[in-house]
Amino acid sequence: MIDISLTKLLLLAVVALIVLGPERLPHAARTAGALLRRMRSGWDSVRSEVEREIQAEEIKRTLRETAENARATHDSVREDIRATGAGILETGEQVRDTFAETQVAPTEAREPDPARDMLPLKNDSHDRT
């Protein structure tokens, strides 16, 4: 901004008093003050508008970055799910092949043999005497 010292202000006031005279000086000072207030409020308005635009641009950039990250994460999860599904299908095929290889031809029907087919029962109540 303009660097005005106290001596320069006093010199300006004396010149204004001489040029304008004591009758018109208060009116001129009020007019100058009103113009300065309008200029300052206009400048503040422009500055706040620029700051709002900058914030809006930052928000838009953040939203774009977030959308890109979400899209990348979505694609990554989709690929992981596809790979897992393919692994499950492959494992299922391996289980089916293994089951088919180990399946034994049915044997002839026979009566169960208790000595061979059943486990002995252990009855603790008879052991206590």
Side-chain angles (χ1 to χ4, degrees):
M1 295 259 327
I2 301 172
D3 186 27
I4 299 177
S5 66
L6 184 59
T7 56
K8 289 180 184 177
L9 265 173
L10 285 175
L11 181 64
L12 187 61
V14 169
V15 169
L17 182 60
I18 293 171
V19 171
L20 295 175
E23 297 87 29
R24 291 188 290 170
L25 185 60
H27 179 66
R30 278 193 297 274
T31 304
L35 286 174
L36 283 174
R37 272 193 303 278
R38 282 186 191 168
M39 286 176 44
R40 185 174 289 157
S41 69
W43 177 253
D44 289 342
S45 173
V46 168
R47 187 179 60 201
S48 66
E49 183 67 30
V50 168
E51 287 174 355
R52 276 194 297 267
E53 288 296 322
I54 289 172
Q55 288 174 348
E57 286 299 319
E58 288 176 3
I59 290 171
K60 287 177 185 176
R61 187 183 75 241
T62 303
L63 284 174
R64 260 186 263 119
E65 290 173 357
T66 303
E68 289 172 5
N69 289 341
R71 199 172 297 119
T73 302
H74 178 263
D75 292 343
S76 172
V77 168
R78 179 184 289 160
E79 289 302 317
D80 289 347
I81 289 172
R82 284 182 183 160
T84 303
I88 290 172
L89 289 176
E90 184 178 318
T91 303
E93 290 172 1
Q94 289 174 353
V95 168
R96 186 186 65 224
D97 293 344
T98 303
F99 182 72
E101 290 172 1
T102 58
Q103 195 162 11
V104 180
T107 58
E108 61 188 62
R110 62 176 178 79
E111 288 291 318
D113 182 14
R116 193 174 79 186
D117 296 333
M118 295 183 185
L119 296 174
L121 295 175
K122 196 175 204 182
N123 194 348
D124 292 334
S125 64
H126 295 290
D127 292 340
R128 296 183 198 165
T129 50

